[in-house]
Amino acid sequence: MPEPLLIFALLIAVFVGFNIGGSTTAPAFGPAVGASLVPKVVAGGLMAVFFGLGAATIGRRVVDTLGQQVLHDSSLFTLESSIVILGLIGLALFAGNRTGVPASTSMTTVGAIAGLGVASGELQWATMREIVFWWVVAPIAGFAVSVAIGYFSYQRIADWISESSSNEPLFALDQSGTIPSITVTSSQRDELLAGGVVVAVGCLMAFSSGTSNIANIVAPLIGGGVLDMSAGIVLGSAAVALGALTIARRTIETLGNEIVELPLPAALVASTVSGVIITTLSLLGIPASFVIVATVSIAGLGWSRTLRSDDGSNGRIRAPIGDGGLDPAEARGAIASKNDSSEPELEFDPFESARVLTLQHVIPIVSTVGAYAVFSVAPVY
């Protein structure tokens, strides 16, 4: 019979995965659910499938980095130290929920493991320098790419999505048969394409979350030999799936009240940029923060719209070269009508962006200091 400490460690890992599934499904598929493209249960199912796919493929590299390469001696990941590390990750998720600012689970995990490494004198500084280097480069890259997209292409993306969207569901869950299946309910080509892009971006986010977050759930247990790689990935993916199919329904509803403040095109661009960057870093074995890259991507999009305003364009509607057959008064009326549409404007608040980014970095620092303090006083490794 497994010892109680082992059962406790596994339960904490499941708890972390459960909360990751509940918190990451909403940003991944909130736009698709909010646009009535898929029901919440389908969103949860897609999250479970694509997270597991990312974890089982690229995610192994990140697990190996955290479990084997951050510390010189992976045997430091005892059941006791793993419980402390996973507990700090759980506290980070809780703190993020309480402050309304999503915490960086990956940075918190690395910070906790680094605290163990410093306390024990076994930290691989070369690996930490490489990780921190990419932590600096990734947000800068996300910001720069988002600024470029926002300045040059955002309006065309927004117009295409607006013209191709409808209030009808794109996919539905068919439960008439023995095995439930997903059916396509729309027959319009442009509508299918636009809706498919929204859902595909959600799947990309779920996949990139799997590549990065699986390590935050099971890396200490795998590094310490408590679980092998395959078993750890199955356990972590199952825990995320449970969260995605249960508590994520509520977080999607909560996010639905906030997603109105962020236009759908902006959510898609930020998600795509962040997903590609995080997946690329995972291929390199680098644990990176999706929420921080997404935050700076949204900030980059917002700042690019202020640049368009400065150069004489409000970023939402540009007057045509000709009058399109309308007299000047009618043309002005048409433009004003489009500008007064219900679609929210993408705005940039530098102070709010700075507050969010500051809090997102403070929590991992607290995790590092806390782990160092705990392992210095009680060397349970």
Side-chain angles (χ1 to χ4, degrees), residues 26-366:
F29 291 99
V33 173
S36 300
L37 296 175
V38 295
K40 289 191 286 290
V41 65
V42 173
L46 290 173
M47 180 70 195
V49 169
F50 282 91
F51 182 98
L53 184 61
T57 53
I58 301 174
R60 294 171 180 266
R61 302 188 181 195
V62 183
V63 171
D64 183 65
T65 296
L66 287 182
Q68 303 291 334
Q69 299 179 30
V70 174
L71 302 179
H72 285 289
D73 184 4
S74 60
S75 67
L76 293 172
F77 289 119
T78 62
L79 282 175
E80 293 85 355
S81 65
S82 296
I83 288 172
V84 172
I85 292 169
L86 292 171
L88 288 170
I89 298 169
L91 288 175
L93 290 170
F94 176 77
N97 291 332
R98 292 291 295 175
T99 60
V101 176
S104 169
T105 313
S106 293
M107 292 178 68
T108 302
T109 304
V110 173
I113 295 174
L116 169 60
V118 173
S120 63
E122 294 290 337
L123 182 65
Q124 294 215 44
W125 289 100
T127 300
M128 281 301 303
R129 283 194 294 269
E130 183 181 5
I131 291 173
V132 172
F133 170 79
W134 286 110
W135 281 357
V136 174
V137 170
I140 294 174
F143 184 84
V145 172
S146 296
V147 168
I149 293 175
Y151 190 85
F152 294 106
S153 304
Y154 180 81
Q155 189 58 45
R156 287 194 293 272
I157 296 172
D159 290 343
W160 176 66
I161 291 176
S162 176
E163 293 168 359
S164 305
S165 300
S166 71
N167 293 323
E168 298 298 323
L170 182 64
F171 302 104
L173 183 65
D174 183 4
Q175 297 179 305
S176 59
T178 304
I179 301 177
S181 61
I182 298 176
T183 60
V184 179
T185 59
S186 175
S187 60
Q188 300 296 321
R189 178 180 176 276
D190 288 345
E191 185 178 314
L192 280 171
L193 184 58
V197 168
V198 176
V199 176
V201 169
C203 294
L204 171 63
M205 282 188 66
F207 180 87
S208 66
S209 178
T211 66
S212 181
N213 274 319
I214 188 63
N216 303 322
I217 304 170
V218 295
L221 298 177
I222 292 176
V226 176
L227 295 172
D228 63 26
M229 182 72 76
S230 296
I233 288 174
V234 170
L235 176 70
S237 299
V240 169
L242 182 62
L245 292 167
T246 54
I247 59 171
R249 299 188 185 193
R250 179 170 295 180
T251 59
I252 288 176
E253 291 176 357
T254 301
L255 186 64
N257 297 324
E258 302 172 358
I259 203 74
V260 175
E261 303 300 326
L262 184 65
L264 178 59
L268 294 181
V269 171
S271 298
T272 302
V273 171
S274 305
V276 170
I277 289 176
I278 296 303
T279 302
T280 301
L281 291 181
S282 296
L283 280 168
L284 299 175
I286 303 296
S289 170
F290 188 97
V291 295
I292 288 180
V293 177
T295 299
V296 297
S297 295
I298 293 170
L301 283 172
W303 186 55
S304 71
R305 309 313 286 162
T306 66
L307 295 178
R308 291 201 64 85
S309 297
D310 292 341
D311 69 11
S313 170
N314 63 13
R316 292 196 60 183
I317 178 66
R318 294 189 295 276
I321 296 177
D323 60 17
L326 301 177
D327 64 51
E330 290 175 325
R332 286 193 298 273
I335 294 171
S337 175
K338 189 169 183 181
N339 279 332
D340 290 338
S341 66
S342 59
E343 181 183 343
E345 177 59 281
L346 176 60
E347 299 177 353
F348 175 55
D349 185 341
F351 298 104
E352 179 63 14
S353 299
R355 182 187 77 87
V356 171
L357 286 171
T358 299
L359 287 174
Q360 286 175 340
H361 284 81
V362 165
I363 293 174
I365 292 173
V366 171

